[in-house]
Amino acid sequence: MEKPLTQHIVPGRKPLNLKEYEKVGGYQSVRKILKEMSPQEVQALVKDANLRGRGGAGFPTGMKWSFVPMGPDAPSPKYLVANADEMEPGTFKDRVLLEGNPHQLIEGMIVASYAIQASISYVFLRWAYKLAAKEITQAIHEAYEAGYLGNNILGSGFNLEMHLHTGVGRYMCGEETALLNALEGKRANPRAKPPFPQVSGLFGKPTIVNNVETLCNLPHIVNNGAEWFKKLGLTEDAGTKLYGVSGRVKTPGCWELPMGITIRELLEEYAGGMQDGYLFRGLLPGGASTDFLVEEHLDLPMDYGSIQAAGSRLGTGTMIIMDDQTCPVGFTLNLQHFFAQESCGFCTPCREGLPWVEKILMAIDKGEGKPEHLLTLDFHTKYLGPGNTFCALAPGAMEPLQSALKYFREDFERHIHEHHCPWSKSKAWQPSI
Ligand SMILES: Cc1cc2nc3c(=O)[nH]c(=O)nc-3n(C[C@H](O)[C@H](O)[C@H](O)COP(=O)(O)O)c2cc1C
Ligand code: SF4
């Protein structure tokens, strides 16, 4: 089984330095594109490869790049930003790539920058990723020394600056337009779209924001071709994916596997199944802002189309498992506490609605809920849904809530009718609020 993204990552061992990375073929894709390919050819290759963004929305990468103005009259400078903010609960896949092989990310950023003719690039890094910050700083320094960054890269006439920018720990900064405001030193609100960042992004100039995992795929696509990349996937989605599993499983972790592996294989073969004494109850397939799936979905492939058809989203591909001894109300409350806390407060439905949802869930969890509370929660899932708020944070928050109300409604009703949490005497996890 090919594992292009993680083949040189050994847990617990320092990442490859520049010399070691070059020995295993590192920076070959940069030599290739600068010598043999036009920026438009790189864009076409990535489009043909059917690479979809790994940051959560799955937008086709080549198509996203194609909206950037090109040619001598295009605004300048253009920017490329690697989104390494990774604060989605349950998600720790980019961390593996950042800490494990920082040169692979830098190489991917050079490929992306060349494709859109960006001359300035940033890694926007989650503040808590201290080790990643150290490794990336060192790798950027080595890449400058070797002439892969800076002016006239490898004598090609192409120039690229690269900077590391560390955030201050807000989930909101992962949303690409809020991220751009943060990079400009402003409050991290999202921006109105249009104009899209591809046309008017950082400092009003054309900008591409791509996820770390998306960018790390680029050197391999350039070196091996679009057909090779498409064949890595088991279903119609191309490539491999860094999948993760957390919750009460025997061996939680993160694995690079072919796109389209089933949920059951991930859960049983890689995560080792449920811990002794616990049964599977449900899962969030791609981080906290995706809809719950249940037992009947276990044989679904973990790809964009299959998970969407089942009413959820692949998201970041890192699943959170809920077991039978965890209260679904407490579980949902804990997530809503996070989302309410991370709301940027810019638009009313989210600023007011999320704390209201949290308050109602807290009352239900304590046994103080009323039957009409369920209708108020249903109402919120509709009015904080897509199209009613300024960005996707609130609609994302509603995904686990609406699906919990669908699949675990009887648990909510029991809390209300019995005036207490049926799990409260078990050793189960309780929300940390
Ligand atoms: C609240 C919120 C947080 C987000 N956090 C991240 C993040 O940490 N990393 C990321 O790559 N994308 C995140 N996204 C998605 C980005 O807005 C954007 O779609 C992504 O970086 C694009 O990269 P891709 O096309 O390579 O997937 C977030 C979106 C929202 C609404
Ligand atoms: S939906 Fe929430 S996070 Fe997004 S802009 Fe509105 S208040 Fe801010």
Side-chain angles (χ1 to χ4, degrees):
M1 192 190 302
E2 286 188 85
K3 299 187 179 190
L5 298 178
T6 55
Q7 61 188 326
H8 303 301
I9 297 179
V10 182
R13 211 178 69 187
K14 261 194 85 55
L16 301 181
N17 64 28
L18 182 91
K19 288 280 160 275
E20 292 163 336
Y21 186 65
E22 284 178 322
K23 259 193 209 148
V24 295
Y27 290 102
Q28 280 308 323
S29 70
V30 173
R31 292 180 187 281
K32 184 169 173 181
I33 55 167
L34 294 181
K35 246 197 191 155
E36 300 170 18
M37 296 175 79
S38 68
Q40 287 77 4
E41 283 172 331
V42 180
Q43 290 196 17
L45 173 70
V46 171
K47 242 188 211 169
D48 283 352
N50 192 23
L51 173 63
R52 296 179 64 169
R54 307 302 201 226
F59 196 83
T61 307
M63 190 193 289
K64 185 168 174 175
W65 292 356
S66 70
F67 301 129
V68 173
M70 299 291 283
D73 298 330
S76 150
K78 292 188 248 179
Y79 296 95
L80 185 275
V81 183
N83 191 342
D85 199 44
E86 196 166 65
M87 269 191 70
E88 181 73 25
T91 299
F92 44 93
K93 66 178 184 74
D94 295 339
R95 180 178 183 179
V96 171
L97 298 170
L98 291 159
E99 291 179 359
N101 196 352
H103 277 295
Q104 178 174 245
L105 173 64
I106 294 171
E107 185 175 354
M109 289 175 70
I110 300 171
V111 173
S113 300
Y114 178 74
I116 60 161
Q117 291 290 286
S119 56
I120 305 179
S121 60
Y122 291 92
V123 179
F124 189 102
L125 184 69
R126 177 178 173 183
W127 73 278
Y129 283 4
K130 307 285 188 222
L131 178 58
K134 186 171 152 247
E135 301 298 358
I136 290 165
T137 304
Q138 169 71 17
I140 291 177
H141 176 72
E142 287 179 334
Y144 266 108
E145 292 276 294
Y148 292 119
L149 291 173
N151 288 335
N152 193 22
I153 296 173
L154 305 178
S156 66
F158 178 62
N159 307 328
L160 182 65
E161 283 175 30
M162 189 173 290
H163 307 277
L164 172 66
H165 180 97
T166 317
V168 287
R170 294 317 301 254
Y171 177 55
M172 194 56 222
C173 289
E175 196 281 336
E176 61 179 5
T177 60
L179 180 156
L180 296 178
N181 274 344
L183 257 184
E184 288 183 10
K186 297 179 182 150
R187 179 177 160 178
N189 300 326
R191 296 178 179 176
K193 296 188 240 180
F196 288 91
Q198 293 93 313
V199 178
S200 176
L202 192 60
F203 303 110
K205 302 293 183 190
T207 304
I208 284 292
V209 180
N210 272 138
N211 170 258
V212 166
E213 186 184 352
T214 311
L215 291 163
C216 287
N217 275 294
L218 298 173
H220 306 289
I221 294 173
V222 170
N223 290 335
N224 300 301
E227 285 313 308
W228 166 84
F229 188 71
K230 282 194 259 193
K231 282 193 193 130
L232 291 177
L234 301 175
T235 55
E236 64 179 30
D237 286 321
T240 58
K241 177 83 194 74
L242 261 69
Y243 292 108
V245 182
S246 60
R248 284 202 170 108
V249 291
K250 287 194 177 124
T251 52
C254 178
W255 307 270
E256 182 181 9
L257 294 164
M259 180 70 91
I261 189 162
T262 66
I263 299 174
R264 191 184 295 281
E265 281 171 283
L266 266 168
L267 176 58
E268 291 177 2
E269 282 180 34
Y270 292 91
M274 300 302 294
Q275 287 177 13
D276 294 340
Y278 295 94
L279 297 174
F280 170 85
R281 188 95 202 273
L283 82 150
L284 300 171
S289 55
T290 58
D291 283 83
F292 275 102
L293 295 177
V294 291
E295 186 108 31
E296 71 192 69
H297 301 119
L298 284 180
D299 291 310
L300 285 180
M302 279 285 279
D303 64 23
Y304 296 99
S306 311
I307 300 298
Q308 190 171 351
S312 187
R313 287 188 306 114
L314 182 65
T316 57
T318 47
M319 47 172 96
I320 306 172
I321 305 291
M322 188 175 77
D323 61 83
D324 65 329
Q325 293 181 47
T326 294
C327 168
V329 174
F331 191 104
T332 311
L333 166 59
N334 200 40
L335 298 178
Q336 296 307 318
H337 173 64
F338 170 80
F339 289 120
Q341 182 176 275
E342 294 299 329
S343 165
C344 79
F346 194 57
C347 62
T348 310
C350 173
R351 183 184 63 241
E352 304 298 327
L354 290 180
W356 191 0
V357 164
E358 186 192 358
K359 219 169 152 185
I360 292 173
L361 287 171
M362 222 184 275
I364 297 175
D365 189 55
K366 275 201 237 157
E368 294 165 7
K370 301 194 175 89
E372 57 269 29
H373 278 156
L374 293 184
L375 295 176
T376 314
L377 290 177
D378 288 336
F379 167 92
H380 275 88
T381 61
K382 203 164 153 212
Y383 289 99
L384 271 69
N388 295 324
T389 59
F390 206 77
C391 85
L393 186 144
M398 291 303 98
E399 292 188 23
L401 177 64
Q402 71 197 7
S403 48
L405 289 167
K406 175 176 168 190
Y407 292 117
F408 313 118
R409 201 169 186 96
E410 74 279 14
D411 297 293
F412 286 75
E413 287 166 349
R414 268 188 75 189
H415 280 73
I416 293 169
H417 296 140
E418 295 176 16
H419 301 291
H420 77 116
C421 170
W423 280 266
S424 59
K425 288 212 168 65
S426 81
K427 285 178 282 172
W429 165 90
Q430 290 294 306
S432 57
I433 53 170

